[in-house]
Amino acid sequence: MGQPLSAGSGTYATWMRLAMAEALRAGETADVPVGALVMDPEGVVVGRGHNLREASSDPTAHAEILAIREAAAQLATWRLSGHTLVVTLEPCTMCAGAIVLARLDRLVFGAYDDKAGAVGSLWDVVRDKRLNHRPEVVGGVLAAETGALVRDFFRSPR
C-alpha cells in the first residue's frame, strides 16, 4: 500500500475523493454529507457508508459506523486489523470509539469538526494512552474540499 508524502496527495487523496463521492449520496436523503470507506491492506474498498440518520431515524447511522459494519460483515470478523478507515469529516466520540474497538490500523479524515470532533478538535479518543488500541491518524486530507461539502449543506435551504 503506497503512502503519500503529504496529506493532500497520493493514495490518501485518491481514497478521500472516493469517500467524497460516497458523502454526496447522503444528500439524496437530506442527511449531512459525510462519507466513509474501509480499505483493506491492498487498497480495496471492503466497506462503505454515508450518513443515514435522517433516512433511517437512527442516531447511530453515521457514515463510519455503516462502513465498519459493512466491512466486518463482508470479512466475517469484527477485527479490522490491517485496514484503514477513510472519512470526509473528523469522527465524533461514538465513531472514534468504534474505530478503536474495530482495531482499525489507520484513520484518514478530511475536515476537522470543531463542534463534535473526537480526534483532536474537542477530544482525542483514538490516541488516548489508556486505551488498548491506538490507530495511526492522518487528518486534514483534502480538508478544504471535504469541509466545503458540510458548509454548503448547512448554507443551503433544506
Side-chain angles (χ1 to χ4, degrees):
M1 171 174 53
Q3 292 187 16
L5 297 174
S6 70
S9 64
T11 302
Y12 297 153
T14 300
W15 290 352
M16 189 59 68
R17 285 187 181 90
L18 294 173
M20 289 171 67
E22 186 67 28
L24 293 175
R25 295 186 61 208
E28 300 166 10
T29 63
D31 278 280
V32 178
V34 177
L37 306 170
V38 175
M39 311 301 289
D40 77 6
E42 288 75 42
V44 175
V45 176
V46 294
R48 64 180 66 238
H50 57 275
N51 277 358
L52 287 175
R53 292 181 306 166
E54 297 295 332
S56 64
S57 298
D58 179 356
T60 68
H62 289 206
E64 301 95 321
I65 299 297
L66 299 175
I68 290 168
R69 285 179 184 161
E70 184 175 288
Q74 181 176 325
L75 300 169
T77 182
W78 62 267
R79 288 181 183 89
L80 299 178
S81 300
H83 292 73
T84 299
L85 178 73
V86 180
V87 61
T88 58
L89 185 65
E90 178 184 0
C92 69
T93 53
M94 175 184 67
C95 295
I99 291 163
V100 171
L101 293 173
R103 308 296 195 268
L104 285 153
D105 278 4
R106 183 178 301 113
L107 166 64
V108 176
F109 70 89
Y112 285 85
D113 184 351
D114 294 335
K115 295 182 181 180
V119 186
S121 289
L122 294 179
W123 301 280
D124 201 348
V125 173
V126 300
R127 290 180 278 221
D128 190 315
K129 291 184 186 333
R130 295 169 292 183
L131 297 174
N132 64 341
H133 180 75
R134 289 179 299 283
E136 174 189 352
V137 175
V138 179
V141 176
L142 301 181
E145 295 167 58
T146 56
L149 289 174
V150 175
R151 280 190 306 280
D152 292 349
F153 173 81
F154 285 109
R155 284 185 185 145
S156 64
R158 291 180 295 287

